[in-house]
Structures are given as structure tokens and as C-alpha cells.
Amino acid sequence: MIEVTVRTRNGAYPVLIGNGLLQGLPKLLTEHVTAERFAVISDDNVAPLYGEELLEAAHAVGLDSRLFTFPAGEASKTRKTWSILTDDLLEAGFGRDSCIIAVGGGVTTDIAGFVAATFLRGVPVVQVPTSYLAMIDASVGGKTGVDAKAGKNLVGAFHPPALVVADPQSLATLPREERAEGLVEAFKHGAILDEAYFEQLNETVVALLDADTKLSEEAVCRSVKLKAAVVSEDELESGYRQILNFGHTLGHALEAASGYRLGHGKAVALGMVLEAELGERLGVTDPGTRERLEVSLKGLLGPTSNTPNPAESICFLASDKKVRAGKPRVVLLKKIGQVDPGDRWSHELPEEMLEGVFAAVLGVL
């Protein structure tokens, strides 16, 4: 087991990573969390795989726990689902001595975390990620929230977990395509912070897609360490943490414009290539960076089809949560492994250039 510490305003929390950790989760809960009742929240795909098993294991050691589920998919990441889960907890008599256990992928991580942040003005949450996306990104950093009609993740709160338990063995139960989409965030970590890691991912991508347990554990550890260092320095995203948004400004716009039919990983991959193209045109990003990203992400995901209309995507930029003084912001690379500092780590998005950037990228990806 590897432990990575994430610092927050009010202390710190551990991220535990290791193959087979889920088997000992009840013991870890008693060691790291003080609570009288545990509410396990999972979607209806993951609950039969891990939620019910966790419930039985918790009951076996005397932990008072109950399982709550919701329909799988980004379409469920809404205030309606948040409301249903919250009402169910209240009806079941859960109080401020409770703890939420989020078991699943990125959607579960976000929505269960938001339930914990707001239920009775806040109760602890333990994140138990079961996908690449959740392990290397969504479970670390304390961001929680839901989508709105105007865009993605526009309603939420910062609510650091009490504990994160990542067991890479659970990756084997995912479809290969979902593993590929989750690994986009690992490539992003390499692109913004560590060129050697970026190249290592290229060399091991086939094994990672096959959920090789040793290499998956290594990749999860490396990404978590990189992200932990960033969020420990800037928990509330007032500056440096914005670098983690590389690919997300334009990627989230594509995702929202598609009605969330375009997967998050594919949307962020497109966003990374689009933002690299924009950076090169502005003279901020080294020439050839966009091509390196494109080759790597095509090798990971294959070609992306059925992308939304660029004009519709651009409309969603005005409601992006990174807007400053009414202007959308974008993170730009200096080169692979290094972000250009810009103005507090982001740049004002030159909207007059977007049509050409979209035409240059979406025509070949």
C-alpha cells in the first residue's frame, strides 16, 4: 500500500493506493473515520459489483451501514439526483454522526461528495474510486458538484474527503473504452507537469488499457502524487490549481453542447488538442506540441466522431466557471510537461480565433 498525503486548510487526508485494498475497507474506515452510521452511495452499475459487497463486509464487523443507489451516467449528475439522495438519507434517519462512502466513478465521486458537503451542513465523505478517472482525478482535491443546463459542474462545493481508498484491481471490471477515457486525465498530468511521465504513458498505454495491475498501480500513484502537490498548494483554485483545467475549458463546452453524449475523456482529449493548437497560434506553446498530444490521444482513444457543432460549443463558454471579468479563461502549455504561467496560470480566451482552431482540429480528430 502506498500513502499520499493531501494538505488542506483544515489539516490533511490520506490517499491510500494498493491492489486488494477494497477487501480491508471496513478496517480502514474504523481507523480513519469517526462515525456512527455509514451511507454507501453508488450507481446502479457499480453497486452490484462493490456496493453490496462492502455493505456485507461492514455489517460483518458491526458497522451500521446502508446502500443508496442512483441511475448510472452523467445524465444523473443533477440537482434532482442530489435532492433524491438527500431526502432518502433524511428519511432513513441519518444524522450529523454519519459518513458518506462514495463507491464508483467520477459521477459518483462528484455527486456523493456534494451530498456529503451539504447534508446537515456537511458530514465526512470517504472516496472509494473504481475507475481511472475517479482514482487519478475526481477523488483527489475535494471538488464536488453537479451539472446544470448552462454547463458542467456549475453547482458544487469544495469538500475534502476524510480518506481516499483506490484499489486498481477494480479497473478490470470496466469496459476498455471507459479505461481509455479515464487515462486521458493521466496524459493531462504528464502534459502539464511531467514530460517523462507523459512518455511513460505512451510506452505502457496498451498494458494500462488492459488494466495490468502493477502498471495501473504505478500510474495511479504517479498521477495522484502530481495532483496532490498542486491541490495542496492551492486548494480553492485561486491560482496555481487552474493548471489542472488544461483541456477542460473547451472540452467541457464540447461535452455540454453534445448533451453529454460525448464522453468526458474524449471531450477533454479534444480540448487538450484544441488548446494546444490555440497556444501555438498565439505563440505561447512550442510548435509541434499539438501534434504530440494528437498522436498520443489518438493512440489512446482512436478517432473521435459525432462531435458537436463548434458554434454550439462556443455558446457554452460564457457560462464556464473559470470566467473572469466576463471573459472565458484557458490554460495553455509552454511545452509538454510545462504550463505557461500567463496571468495567474491562465489566459483570456481570444474568441475571435476559435472558429479557425475548431476547424483545424475537429476536421482531423
Side-chain angles (χ1 to χ4, degrees), residues 323-346:
V323 167
R324 195 193 307 167
K327 299 290 186 180
R329 309 287 299 183
V330 65
V331 174
L332 299 177
L333 297 181
K334 177 63 179 171
K335 60 181 182 178
I336 296 293
Q338 183 180 344
V339 173
D340 186 87
D343 174 18
R344 285 161 50 193
W345 298 99
S346 66

Side-chain angles (χ1 to χ4, degrees), residues 119-138:
F119 184 69
L120 301 177
R121 297 198 174 114
V123 297
V125 62
V126 172
Q127 296 287 0
V128 184
T130 60
S131 69
Y132 270 130
L133 173 63
M135 287 184 196
I136 66 182
D137 186 63

Side-chain angles (χ1 to χ4, degrees), residues 234-253:
D234 178 21
E235 182 185 0
L236 301 183
E237 201 174 75
S238 58
Y240 184 51
R241 183 170 175 168
Q242 290 183 80
I243 69 171
L244 296 169
N245 291 321
F246 175 60
H248 286 62
T249 297
L250 298 183
H252 279 175

Side-chain angles (χ1 to χ4, degrees), residues 2-337:
I2 296 170
E3 180 173 338
V4 180
T5 300
V6 184
R7 298 189 305 276
T8 75
R9 295 162 293 164
N10 300 315
Y13 60 89
V15 181
L16 308 181
I17 306 160
N19 289 304
L21 276 185
L22 287 185
Q23 297 173 8
L25 185 57
K27 183 173 184 294
L28 293 173
L29 293 175
T30 60
E31 292 172 352
H32 291 274
V33 182
T34 300
E36 294 299 318
R37 300 185 73 189
F38 294 87
V40 180
I41 295 180
S42 190
D43 70 36
D44 56 11
N45 284 342
V46 175
L49 294 172
Y50 300 110
E52 294 171 3
E53 182 178 329
L54 170 58
L55 205 65
E56 291 178 6
H59 288 158
V61 296
L63 298 182
D64 184 353
S65 53
R66 179 167 169 176
L67 177 64
F68 299 84
T69 64
F70 63 93
E74 189 76 28
S76 289
K77 196 173 140 184
T78 63
R79 281 166 287 186
K80 180 178 179 181
T81 304
W82 165 84
S83 177
I84 291 170
L85 289 169
T86 303
D87 285 345
D88 287 348
L89 287 168
L90 291 169
E91 186 177 344
F94 279 78
R96 298 196 71 180
D97 57 356
S98 306
C99 175
I100 306 294
I101 306 175
V103 183
V107 170
T108 299
T109 295
D110 284 355
I111 197 164
F114 188 44
V115 169
T118 52
F119 184 69
L120 301 177
R121 297 198 174 114
V123 297
V125 62
V126 172
Q127 296 287 0
V128 184
T130 60
S131 69
Y132 270 130
L133 173 63
M135 287 184 196
I136 66 182
D137 186 63
S139 66
V140 179
K143 280 187 176 181
T144 72
V146 295
D147 303 332
K149 288 183 179 179
K152 190 175 173 70
N153 297 328
L154 295 181
V155 181
F158 287 95
H159 189 62
L163 171 69
V164 180
V165 180
D167 183 344
Q169 285 184 351
S170 65
L171 297 168
T173 62
L174 294 170
R176 186 181 177 90
E177 181 178 353
E178 191 170 337
R179 290 197 289 267
E181 293 213 29
L183 281 169
V184 170
E185 294 288 348
F187 275 89
K188 181 201 73 178
H189 290 150
I192 63 175
L193 290 165
D194 190 335
E195 183 178 14
Y197 179 44
F198 183 85
E199 291 305 328
Q200 180 185 344
L201 290 168
N202 280 309
E203 293 169 4
T204 58
V205 65
V206 174
L208 291 172
L209 287 172
D210 290 337
D212 177 279
T213 53
K214 181 176 182 296
L215 291 175
S216 295
E217 184 180 61
E218 290 175 0
V220 169
C221 287
R222 185 60 185 147
S223 273
V224 168
K225 287 177 180 178
L226 289 169
K227 183 168 184 180
V230 174
V231 301
S232 293
E233 183 172 330
D234 178 21
E235 182 185 0
L236 301 183
E237 201 174 75
S238 58
Y240 184 51
R241 183 170 175 168
Q242 290 183 80
I243 69 171
L244 296 169
N245 291 321
F246 175 60
H248 286 62
T249 297
L250 298 183
H252 279 175
L254 287 165
E255 193 176 359
S258 76
Y260 302 104
R261 290 183 296 275
L262 182 65
H264 176 72
K266 289 184 177 180
V268 171
L270 286 168
M272 289 166 65
V273 179
L274 285 164
E275 291 172 17
E277 172 71 16
L278 176 63
E280 289 189 28
R281 292 187 180 209
L282 290 171
V284 173
T285 304
D286 285 359
T289 301
R290 172 232 158 135
E291 183 179 3
R292 287 181 68 185
L293 282 168
E294 185 178 319
V295 169
S296 294
L297 294 170
K298 263 190 174 180
L300 174 65
L301 296 169
T304 300
S305 58
N306 300 319
T307 54
N309 182 284
E312 294 177 5
S313 302
I314 291 169
C315 288
F316 279 92
L317 291 172
S319 59
D320 186 271
K321 61 183 181 298
K322 297 175 288 297
V323 167
R324 195 193 307 167
K327 299 290 186 180
R329 309 287 299 183
V330 65
V331 174
L332 299 177
L333 297 181
K334 177 63 179 171
K335 60 181 182 178
I336 296 293

